[in-house]
Amino acid sequence: MTGRTLAAVALAAVSVGWLDPHATAREGSRLYAAGKFDDAAGKYNEALVDQPDSPLLHFNLGDTLYRQGKFTDAVNALQQVPGSDTDPGRTARVAYNIGNAKYRLGQAAEGSDPKAALGLYAEALAAYRRAMGAAPDDADAKFNHEFVEKKMADLKKKLEEQQKQQEQDQQQQDRQNQEQAKQDQQGERQKERPDGQQQDQQQQQQQQQATGAQAGEKQDGQMSKQEAAALLDAQRDQEVRPDEVVKRLQGAGVAEPAEDW
């Protein structure tokens, strides 16, 4: 092949590329349809280098990023789509997809940061309202709006119940702390009682015991003075005087033996 022929072939290849400036974007769309979202995103970004203001490329890139689960990047790409009063269909599609991405972000944040999730749900609702304003007959936007509204209501109710439970738990904890503090104060007062006071109490107890003993109170294992005196008198009454012994002997008969041995 001569040099002239090679130059002609090269010129033909360049001409084909020039004649099809959307070849990279089309390749991105083909990859997107095949589910190869990483490759598709690369192609769309490559095409945006030459067409940075293309609404279609930004829109397609946003959709591709959404499919990858990169919802924040998807919102950023979709927000680069220029607005147009003459194309309400495009405005509705962009707003609808932004609403979907915001909802997914809120759903991911609900477990760790419910308040942030509520804010993202509110942004999703605003996007769906823009979509319904641009395309009043869009049933999908209406359905999603109602769905997210219910999600917000359920989440708010859940947060209110959690807040109420936390307040009740805090009140109970405060009561327990107050009761414990009261018990601790009573214990400290007992520890701070002077030793002299304790000795006085011991002396008073000893004096009471001594006084009781002197008054004839019965101690354990001992007789009181009253009991001892009563016992002595009883013994004296039972004793027989000598003259009474004589009298008893004089008046007593001798018993005869029952049998004679």
Side-chain angles (χ1 to χ4, degrees), residues 6-250:
L6 288 172
V9 172
L11 179 60
V14 172
S15 298
V16 170
W18 180 80
L19 291 175
D20 189 7
H22 303 296
T24 304
R26 288 195 181 94
E27 179 63 14
S29 298
R30 185 187 67 79
L31 292 168
Y32 178 92
K36 298 179 180 180
F37 302 118
D38 291 343
D39 295 335
K43 287 297 181 180
Y44 288 137
N45 279 315
E46 184 180 341
L48 280 168
V49 174
D50 297 327
Q51 303 178 62
D53 298 328
S54 171
L56 182 60
L57 286 175
H58 284 294
F59 182 85
N60 288 357
L61 177 61
D63 279 0
T64 304
L65 292 169
Y66 181 91
R67 294 289 186 179
Q68 290 177 284
K70 300 177 180 180
F71 303 117
T72 299
D73 294 337
V75 171
N76 293 335
L78 292 168
Q79 288 175 340
Q80 299 299 318
V81 178
S84 175
D85 296 335
T86 60
D87 191 353
R90 180 202 300 170
T91 301
R93 289 192 300 273
V94 170
Y96 177 78
N97 286 357
I98 289 176
N100 290 343
K102 291 286 187 179
Y103 166 72
R104 293 295 185 184
L105 290 170
Q107 186 181 37
E110 187 171 326
S112 59
D113 192 349
K115 292 183 179 180
L118 285 175
L120 290 165
Y121 287 156
E123 293 176 6
L125 290 178
Y128 291 138
R129 285 193 292 270
R130 289 197 300 272
M132 289 186 292
D137 297 333
D138 189 344
D140 291 338
K142 182 179 180 181
F143 177 87
N144 285 7
H145 186 277
E146 293 175 353
F147 177 80
V148 176
E149 270 189 329
K150 186 177 185 304
K151 287 282 291 185
M152 283 189 69
D154 292 342
L155 182 55
K156 286 180 179 179
K157 182 178 179 181
K158 181 180 178 180
L159 290 176
E160 289 174 357
E161 291 176 351
Q162 289 179 349
Q163 181 65 27
K164 184 177 180 180
Q165 184 63 43
Q166 289 175 358
E167 291 175 355
Q168 292 176 350
D169 292 343
Q170 186 61 44
Q171 291 175 358
Q172 182 177 1
Q173 184 64 40
D174 291 342
R175 288 193 295 269
Q176 292 176 351
N177 292 339
Q178 292 174 359
E179 184 64 26
Q180 184 63 42
K182 185 177 179 181
Q183 294 177 0
D184 293 342
Q185 289 176 357
Q186 291 176 350
E188 290 297 328
R189 291 195 190 100
Q190 293 177 354
K191 290 181 181 179
E192 293 173 358
R193 179 177 296 172
D195 293 340
Q197 185 176 357
Q198 293 179 356
Q199 292 176 358
D200 292 343
Q201 290 180 349
Q202 292 176 357
Q203 291 176 357
Q204 290 177 0
Q205 291 176 356
Q206 292 174 357
Q207 290 176 358
Q208 290 175 356
Q209 292 175 357
T211 303
Q214 293 175 358
E217 292 181 352
K218 182 179 179 181
Q219 302 296 324
D220 292 340
Q222 296 180 357
M223 276 194 238
S224 66
K225 289 183 177 181
Q226 291 85 348
E227 291 176 342
L231 180 60
L232 181 60
D233 293 338
Q235 289 176 350
R236 287 175 179 174
D237 292 337
Q238 293 175 1
E239 290 178 356
V240 180
R241 293 190 297 274
D243 58 339
E244 290 179 351
V245 173
V246 174
K247 291 178 180 179
R248 290 179 183 179
L249 289 174
Q250 291 176 354

